[in-house]
Amino acid sequence: VFETDPCPECGVPKHISNEHLWLNSGVIAQSRDLQHRLIFIESENLDPLFEGIGTVIGRPIEKIVIDTARRATRLYTDRLISNEVRGLIRAKALSMEVISDSLKASGRMLGYANYLEFNYRYEGDQDDYFKDRVESPYSLPLLCGNNLGSNNAIDGGRWDVRYEKILPEVYDITTFRSKSPPEPEGGLIMKQYFHKDGDIELKKCSSCGCPAALSEFKWYLDKGMIESARTGRRMAFIGPQMLDAIFEELTSKFGETVPRLLVEEQRRFVKSGNYSIDEVGDEENMRNQFALRGLGDLRDIEVKSKGIRYHLDNAVLHPLLVGLAQGLYEKAFHVDSVVEWELSEKGELIVEVTAKVDSKA
Ligand SMILES: [Zn+2]
């Protein structure tokens, strides 16, 4: 059972402040398991990002996205559900509605979707299915993967998924028992993040203890959406390990062009004004913005008209952070640029954006 009540002071649902910690290292972690990181980011560009990469590569990557999200969700949900609960569900002593309601209440607070209707059959045979009618999913393939992974964690069996568009923004997502023979699960590249202590002190809400800056985001629990009041952009809490695993999977299948493509897609998205970190140049503010989003610890940043160079500890999703720097720079200085980066095994990211010499200012 999750506490959905908003904090009277900052408006953040209590579940968010109870279950998550903003560490001094620019990391958001689950308070029950500090190894499990989350990030709080704009979600509207995720599906265009996947589509854009598919277009450049020349084939859709939806299957890879769904399957990687499934495997990552399975690992995550496995830890949430005890064997005892699993047994109760299989013995039907605990109804699927109860489990589903509770997972969905959490999904609404994380900004995933509006869950409209739930139908299912769960008898332990080939005709079993779970059908969710959802409105405005934060990402359609990621939500499909999330549903599959939850089934895997609860039931252990093999499931497939299909979705159908019912109305603009309304989808039926159905998971059903797989008829194809089991495949080896294969190794999922789940990044282990190294944690390096920092000294970031975000101002806290005096009532609930979460960062006070979260009060500029509005939780619409009835719609399963979080919005930045300042920019109107939709936000979501996402496991970066899931996205990093997708990026790694794509890179191993399609080669080293993938990180570059991700950087480029993100640069375009940020430059088009769809991102809400916008005060380039105020180092303290940028450092806090990164930490609020759980993107890492911005150690130093140099902003000049000729370029930006920064060093970030505890980095996640580095292609997106590289594209972010490039997009912010180009937007602030109205120039084209080139970007180089270096990522150490311990998550230290160095990004260098330089103005193109021939560009018109
Ligand atoms: Zn509060």
Side-chain angles (χ1 to χ4, degrees):
V1 183
F2 299 108
E3 277 196 78
T4 54
D5 293 348
C7 166
E9 191 176 336
C10 68
V12 175
K14 294 214 174 118
H15 169 70
I16 299 291
S17 46
N18 288 344
E19 297 289 332
H20 306 90
L21 286 173
W22 273 256
L23 305 178
N24 65 6
S25 51
V27 167
I28 307 172
Q30 264 190 310
S31 31
R32 290 164 194 261
D33 176 4
L34 294 185
Q35 285 304 309
H36 188 258
R37 278 181 80 165
L38 283 129
I39 51 169
F40 181 50
I41 56 165
E42 280 78 5
S43 60
E44 281 160 298
N45 69 325
L46 289 172
D47 285 356
L49 183 74
F50 299 140
E51 271 160 38
I53 292 166
T55 305
V56 178
I57 290 172
R59 64 179 112 166
I61 58 166
E62 189 179 79
K63 270 198 161 148
I64 298 173
V65 174
I66 291 176
D67 194 57
T68 315
R70 173 188 70 78
R71 291 189 283 167
T73 306
R74 178 185 197 158
L75 288 176
Y76 171 63
T77 315
D78 262 342
R79 273 179 285 166
L80 286 183
I81 301 178
S82 65
N83 282 332
E84 198 187 342
V85 169
R86 218 170 263 130
L88 289 174
I89 298 168
R90 283 185 204 152
K92 292 191 204 163
L94 195 59
S95 91
M96 205 46 92
E97 277 99 346
V98 173
I99 301 290
S100 166
D101 282 354
S102 137
L103 289 174
K104 281 163 195 165
S106 151
R108 284 174 184 277
M109 285 185 273
L110 299 173
Y112 287 177
N114 185 13
Y115 300 91
L116 300 173
E117 241 181 81
F118 178 53
N119 287 295
Y120 75 99
R121 178 187 187 280
Y122 189 63
E123 301 291 338
D125 62 31
Q126 278 297 322
D127 296 330
D128 288 349
Y129 70 89
F130 297 93
K131 184 168 163 184
D132 271 310
R133 180 160 293 179
V134 300
E135 187 179 19
S136 306
Y138 74 110
S139 155
L140 188 57
L142 290 181
L143 198 67
C144 285
N146 296 149
N147 284 8
L148 276 179
S150 300
N151 285 11
N152 283 159
I154 292 167
D155 174 82
R158 272 182 53 78
W159 297 75
D160 283 331
V161 67
R162 66 169 173 264
Y163 62 80
E164 194 186 341
K165 192 173 194 162
I166 302 297
L167 287 168
E169 289 305 309
V170 177
Y171 300 87
D172 278 342
I173 300 179
T174 309
T175 53
F176 52 95
R177 296 227 183 242
S178 178
K179 294 192 170 58
S180 52
E183 290 162 31
E185 274 285 294
L188 176 60
I189 313 162
M190 287 291 262
K191 246 191 192 169
Q192 281 298 320
Y193 299 123
F194 287 85
H195 184 85
K196 197 162 154 193
D197 228 20
D199 57 6
I200 300 173
E201 291 298 337
L202 294 175
K203 194 169 167 282
K204 289 188 169 126
C205 167
S206 58
S207 303
C208 71
C210 72
L214 283 181
S215 65
E216 81 167 56
F217 299 92
K218 300 286 164 238
W219 266 259
Y220 299 101
L221 293 185
D222 54 334
K223 293 195 279 181
M225 277 195 205
I226 310 168
E227 246 176 50
S228 160
R230 196 159 55 85
T231 64
R233 290 287 137 199
R234 184 169 175 192
M235 307 288 290
F237 285 88
I238 300 170
Q241 266 162 318
M242 177 175 75
L243 286 179
D244 262 334
I246 290 170
F247 295 169
E248 299 278 344
E249 195 73 24
L250 290 171
T251 305
S252 77
K253 281 211 162 67
F254 303 110
E256 285 303 321
T257 50
V258 170
R260 279 277 165 197
L261 293 176
L262 289 163
V263 169
E264 177 56 18
E265 290 291 323
Q266 177 78 344
R267 180 194 69 83
R268 287 198 308 183
F269 177 74
V270 172
K271 199 179 178 182
S272 67
N274 287 327
Y275 214 81
S276 52
I277 292 180
D278 50 17
E279 289 144 277
V280 183
D282 178 346
E283 190 174 333
E284 194 54 30
N285 174 57
M286 286 200 77
R287 194 168 188 229
N288 289 341
Q289 291 277 332
F290 270 72
L292 184 70
R293 290 150 182 273
L295 296 175
D297 182 355
L298 193 60
R299 298 307 304 176
D300 44 56
I301 177 162
E302 247 179 82
V303 181
K304 292 181 183 158
S305 60
K306 281 184 202 160
I308 290 186
R309 183 188 157 87
Y310 75 80
H311 168 192
L312 184 85
D313 282 344
N314 305 319
V316 283
L317 304 175
H318 73 276
L320 298 190
L321 294 182
V322 172
L324 170 66
Q326 199 185 8
L328 288 176
Y329 170 72
E330 293 191 354
K331 202 177 144 202
F333 293 98
H334 310 285
V335 287
D336 294 331
S337 66
V338 287
V339 65
E340 293 302 329
W341 69 90
E342 226 182 275
L343 177 72
S344 82
E345 276 190 11
K346 294 196 168 167
E348 296 152 346
L349 177 68
I350 293 171
V351 180
E352 200 159 356
V353 183
T354 320
K356 265 192 195 164
V357 186
D358 59 356
S359 76
K360 298 173 205 89

